[in-house]
Amino acid sequence: MAFHFYKPLNLLPLLVFIILNHLYVGYSYPGNPLSPDHDVQIRKLQQLKSSISQSKPVSGSRVYGVSSYGADPTGKTDSTDAILRAISDAVTEERDGLLMEGITNHGGVQINLEGGIYKISRPMKFPVAGVGNIVISGGTLRASDNFSTDSYLIDLSTSSSSSNKKYNYEYITLRDIMLDCDYRGGGIRAIDALRTSIDNCYITHFATNGILVQGGHETYIRNSFLGQHITAGADSHERNFSGTAINLAGNDNAVTDVVIFSAAIGITISGQANVISGVHCYNKATGFGGTGIYLKLPGLTQTRIVNSYFDYTGIVTEDPVQLHVSGCFFLGDAFILLKSIHGTINGINIVDNMFSGSNKGIDIVQLDERNRAFNTIDQIIVDNNNVNGMNLKATVAKGVVHGNGTSWTIDFNRILLFPRHIKFVQYTLTTSESNVFPKYILRNISNNKIFIESDIAVNGSVHVSVDQGLSR
């Protein structure tokens, strides 16, 4: 029998398959598959596969995720430096076009907190002033144990030496952020900032202010929740609550659809032309020394408070000039206090509100004249409010008194707001007696009492309307 031997091929054809963006290369060797040549080919294969499948960042991306800078989303380690590096990189590249003079438009660049909880020991600030059109969103910042008690977690401010512009920032958006101040300082500070938006934020455990707006224009605070202590009411420690949830020390700002659930003062306003709408204050109750809204701009208030809910805590305003309160609900004996500083009150509308109390004889609108009496009183309208369980007070009243004689007296002290300030009286005497035409006259106005006298005795009724708020 003859045997024939054939020399095998040294190398089978190279087979290349590209499937789903992956490259597969197959070799067949006649010898040992673990030969050095085989190892070289495997390394080349791995390098090629890695170069094809590697994910690269999108060129020109304007979203800066803080975790890529080393921020710890678990909150176990300090992330201050990492987040500040992300903020610095976000504002490094300048875009064409300016907003206000000296403010750079950064095109809506985003600093993304990526849903993490980050511990910080210093405020989150921009490295320079003059930046605009920037968004910070999507996570939680928490003050560490060594965070300064006079600082703010997010601080839109700059030192006076670094900027001499009227506005430092424009169109900065803070959105979907929770701030835990850990009772060390405040939440957000915006100084000389223009068109700032604070939207859907939850700010708690502040020791000073949840939000401080100083100077600037048009900061809009909306759809947010603020409370020094996390509670839903009926807190046994309520009398010890302190701090201010929102401090507006600037003009032309708006607070809309906001809940303030714990603080000594819900909103302090010391700037002009601010509007409050859809706000629910159930911070520290008035009975414990709390105030829902405190208007601290004597002589130039210019504030509108509409469609809001004052839950056991009310409104205090100093020397109000141009104040409008309407469509609000005051629960639990909450009331409005007009406080005299220099004795001026002018241009007040307190109309179309609801008041509900506990039948303790509390007036819905009260005067604080301990410092001095109001002596400049003009254009005041307190009217059309409906009241249950409290004392109705107004600047407009009507009354009727029946009698048989020559004099009639109507006392409006129970309803009129000011003790001695009737500016207008309209009165009519009616009688059912025939062939009687008495002459009658307003004889005296004294301490909100109206005295009507006729020349003959008659069985009749006197109808009187009075107004304390008409313009002089």
Side-chain angles (χ1 to χ4, degrees):
M1 182 179 291
F3 294 90
H4 300 279
F5 295 90
Y6 298 92
K7 185 176 181 180
L9 295 175
N10 291 329
L11 181 65
L12 290 178
L14 172 66
L15 301 178
V16 180
F17 302 94
I18 301 177
I19 303 175
L20 297 177
N21 294 327
H22 292 281
L23 182 65
Y24 296 90
V25 183
Y27 293 95
S28 177
Y29 293 98
N32 184 358
L34 299 180
S35 65
D37 186 50
H38 179 270
D39 292 340
V40 170
Q41 297 300 329
I42 290 297
R43 284 196 296 272
K44 288 182 179 180
L45 171 65
Q46 291 172 341
Q47 291 172 0
L48 178 61
K49 182 178 179 180
S50 177
S51 67
I52 294 175
S53 62
Q54 184 177 8
S55 176
K56 295 182 179 180
V58 178
S59 177
S61 173
R62 300 292 288 165
V63 178
Y64 291 79
V66 297
S67 63
S68 64
Y69 288 82
D72 177 10
T74 69
K76 294 179 181 179
T77 60
D78 193 292
S79 296
T80 305
D81 291 335
I83 299 176
L84 287 176
R85 283 196 300 271
I87 293 174
S88 179
D89 283 357
V91 301
T92 297
E93 179 184 344
E94 295 187 1
R95 292 294 183 96
D96 291 335
L98 294 176
L99 296 168
M100 285 293 291
E101 182 180 358
I103 297 180
T104 301
N105 178 9
H106 290 278
V109 60
Q110 299 181 36
I111 296 97
N112 192 343
L113 299 178
E114 303 174 295
I117 300 176
Y118 304 97
K119 184 189 295 184
I120 60 173
S121 54
R122 301 192 309 279
M124 297 295 97
K125 300 184 68 170
F126 292 114
V128 293
V131 298
N133 197 2
I134 298 171
V135 179
I136 303 177
S137 66
T140 298
L141 300 178
R142 184 174 186 179
S144 66
D145 292 340
N146 57 343
F147 193 88
S148 175
T149 56
D150 60 354
S151 297
Y152 288 78
L153 269 67
I154 298 178
D155 195 350
L156 303 181
S157 69
T158 185
S159 63
S160 58
S161 60
S162 63
S163 174
N164 56 6
K165 302 180 181 67
K166 184 176 182 180
Y167 302 112
N168 295 318
Y169 307 100
E170 182 179 2
Y171 193 28
I172 305 298
T173 299
L174 308 175
R175 185 177 63 225
D176 307 333
I177 301 173
M178 183 173 184
L179 300 177
D180 182 351
C181 306
D182 198 30
Y183 306 109
R184 304 186 62 81
I188 298 171
R189 176 165 61 181
I191 297 181
D192 295 332
L194 184 63
R195 291 181 272 274
T196 303
S197 178
I198 300 172
D199 189 7
N200 192 35
C201 291
Y202 189 122
I203 303 174
T204 188
H205 299 153
F206 47 85
T208 52
N209 300 292
I211 299 173
L212 170 62
V213 178
Q214 187 174 334
H217 277 276
E218 296 136 12
T219 294
Y220 272 50
I221 304 166
R222 54 181 176 258
N223 306 322
S224 294
F225 305 88
L226 297 98
Q228 185 181 56
H229 303 269
I230 296 179
T231 176
D235 193 303
S236 59
H237 302 290
E238 182 179 1
R239 66 177 65 252
N240 298 320
F241 293 171
S242 61
T244 299
I246 299 175
N247 190 339
L248 299 180
N251 302 340
D252 309 334
N253 306 295
V255 180
T256 60
D257 300 321
V258 166
V259 174
I260 299 172
F261 52 87
S262 64
I265 299 175
I267 303 175
T268 294
I269 301 176
S270 56
Q272 301 167 233
N274 293 288
V275 60
I276 311 298
S277 175
V279 171
H280 181 191
C281 292
Y282 64 97
N283 54 289
K284 188 175 183 178
T286 299
F288 294 149
T291 303
I293 296 179
Y294 198 112
L295 302 167
K296 197 174 181 63
L297 189 65
L300 200 60
T301 310
Q302 295 178 335
T303 300
R304 293 144 291 162
I305 303 172
V306 297
N307 302 329
S308 294
Y309 177 13
F310 295 90
D311 195 344
Y312 283 79
T313 186
I315 298 172
V316 177
T317 175
E318 298 181 351
D319 275 4
V321 172
Q322 293 193 306
L323 169 65
H324 181 85
V325 181
S326 71
C328 296
F329 178 41
F330 294 79
L331 180 66
D333 295 316
F335 58 87
I336 299 172
L337 181 67
L338 310 176
K339 185 175 183 179
S340 174
I341 302 299
H342 304 295
T344 299
I345 183 170
N346 192 344
I348 309 301
N349 301 323
I350 300 175
V351 295
D352 302 323
N353 302 287
M354 295 190 298
F355 294 82
S356 179
S358 54
N359 294 304
K360 295 179 181 178
I362 294 177
D363 298 340
I364 63 168
V365 182
Q366 302 178 20
L367 304 178
D368 181 351
E369 298 181 288
R370 290 174 295 179
N371 186 59
R372 65 174 60 190
F374 283 112
N375 49 47
T376 302
I377 304 171
D378 202 8
Q379 301 182 82
I380 313 298
I381 301 175
V382 181
D383 195 19
N384 280 350
N385 299 294
N386 69 68
V387 179
N388 182 27
M390 299 178 72
N391 292 338
L392 175 65
K393 302 298 286 187
T395 57
V396 177
K398 297 179 179 180
V400 59
V401 62
H402 308 281
N404 188 353
T406 59
S407 64
W408 294 262
T409 301
I410 301 181
D411 188 347
F412 288 104
N413 274 295
R414 291 188 62 183
I415 188 171
L416 288 181
L417 177 61
F418 298 99
R420 292 170 296 276
H421 200 74
I422 293 176
K423 291 186 174 183
F424 174 84
V425 179
Q426 185 174 13
Y427 58 98
T428 301
L429 173 61
T430 63
T431 179
S432 59
E433 296 183 16
S434 61
N435 300 320
V436 175
F437 298 93
K439 298 176 182 177
Y440 59 99
I441 189 172
L442 173 61
R443 182 63 71 182
N444 191 15
I445 301 174
S446 178
N447 193 29
N448 288 340
K449 294 180 180 180
I450 305 299
F451 298 91
I452 307 295
E453 189 173 351
S454 66
D455 61 340
I456 60 174
V458 63
N459 184 12
S461 301
V462 172
H463 301 259
V464 180
S465 298
V466 296
D467 194 331
Q468 293 188 315
L470 290 177
S471 173
R472 294 179 181 178

